[in-house]
Amino acid sequence: MHGTANQPRRARRLSAATAAHFIRALAAANPEPRPELDYADPFTLLVAVVLSAQTTDLAVNKVTRTLFAEAPDAAAMAALGAEGIARHIRSIGLWQAKAKNVAALSHILVEQYGGRVPEDREALEALPGVGRKTANVVLNVAFGQDTMAVDTHIFRLGNRTGLAPGDTPRAVEDGLVKRCPPELLRDAHHWLILHGRYVCKARRPECWHCVARDYCNYPDKVAGPSAS
């Protein structure tokens, strides 16, 4: 199958055993993966992830440095309001909608949850600007739940490698949850996001230094740059 910008080329599905080897190879190369977004607690993590939609983590970290200094919790963020939030985040994509969402979700957290971030998926997904991927990140990173947050990198990776082919992010998510060794599930989305971001890139995957290359079904593996 040939891919498009929204539907990456799909490889033949890996066997369950090979999929486990793939993930174990990533785990061995990076035993203690860490999110690249800066945060201090569940609230600042939630806001950072909401702001990261269609924006790099580096760009988000630059704006949250001053935003969180002025509004480190839900009450302060709600008081800052959309206009006050917007002053800090104008350099990132979709800043107007994001400012409104962060202000609105902060009000809800204050009014309904005493300023705390709920540990419940349904409650999280009911917040403005929070979809399944964002909820999965918060549940995983802040609360230690075994969730799989599928972003564009993981969606591409699941299809390109054969690890968990699927037409939708949810299909890829479900496939990865089924095929990931249970003891590695909590950290697996970190390994996969980092692998998709820095190695299995969208335009030209760097297959020549992929630690999971031997377990990948991508039919067009890229040779390393020729020596000069």
Side-chain angles (χ1 to χ4, degrees):
M1 165 181 169
H2 292 286
T4 66
N6 296 317
Q7 180 64 58
R9 177 168 179 166
R10 183 178 300 178
R12 178 172 48 85
R13 184 184 298 271
L14 300 176
S15 69
T18 304
H21 283 308
F22 188 110
I23 295 172
R24 290 188 191 283
L26 299 184
N30 184 12
E32 296 184 2
R34 292 288 181 268
E36 294 191 317
L37 287 171
D38 293 336
Y39 68 97
D41 51 34
F43 173 72
T44 52
L45 174 66
L46 172 62
V47 172
V49 179
V50 169
L51 296 180
S52 72
Q54 299 184 43
T55 306
T56 67
D57 289 357
L58 180 62
V60 172
N61 290 341
K62 287 180 179 178
V63 301
T64 56
R65 191 173 299 120
T66 59
L67 176 63
F68 293 157
E70 185 171 356
D73 55 39
M77 194 72 74
L80 192 57
E83 289 187 9
I85 295 167
R87 284 191 288 104
H88 294 274
I89 69 169
R90 282 193 174 93
S91 61
I92 65 173
L94 307 176
W95 62 271
Q96 292 167 307
K98 290 175 180 179
K100 291 178 182 177
N101 284 336
V102 170
L105 72 84
S106 297
H107 277 289
I108 292 171
L109 292 181
V110 170
E111 293 168 1
Q112 298 184 19
Y113 301 100
R116 299 178 64 85
V117 176
E119 298 183 39
D120 173 74
R121 175 185 298 284
E122 185 176 355
L124 282 170
E125 291 187 22
L127 296 172
V130 178
R132 185 174 181 86
K133 185 206 79 173
T134 296
N136 276 339
V137 173
V138 173
L139 292 171
N140 180 286
V141 176
F143 302 120
Q145 297 187 26
D146 291 341
T147 60
M148 176 64 65
V150 175
D151 69 349
T152 55
H153 296 297
I154 295 183
F155 183 66
R156 178 179 69 251
L157 197 67
N159 281 288
R160 176 188 277 166
T161 65
L163 191 59
D167 291 331
T168 64
R170 182 59 189 272
V172 171
E173 175 188 336
D174 291 344
L176 288 170
V177 169
K178 283 182 182 178
R179 314 187 91 212
C180 181
E183 73 277 11
L184 298 180
L185 182 54
R186 182 181 176 188
D187 286 331
H189 85 274
H190 293 301
W191 291 314
L192 293 167
I193 287 172
L194 293 172
H195 193 62
R197 185 174 290 164
Y198 297 113
V199 180
C200 197
K201 301 176 182 179
R203 292 184 181 274
R204 187 170 185 262
E206 298 181 3
C207 305
W208 61 92
H209 61 72
C210 172
V211 297
R213 177 187 175 111
D214 291 345
Y215 310 113
C216 172
N217 276 344
Y218 181 50
D220 302 319
K221 290 187 175 70
V222 180
S226 58
S228 55

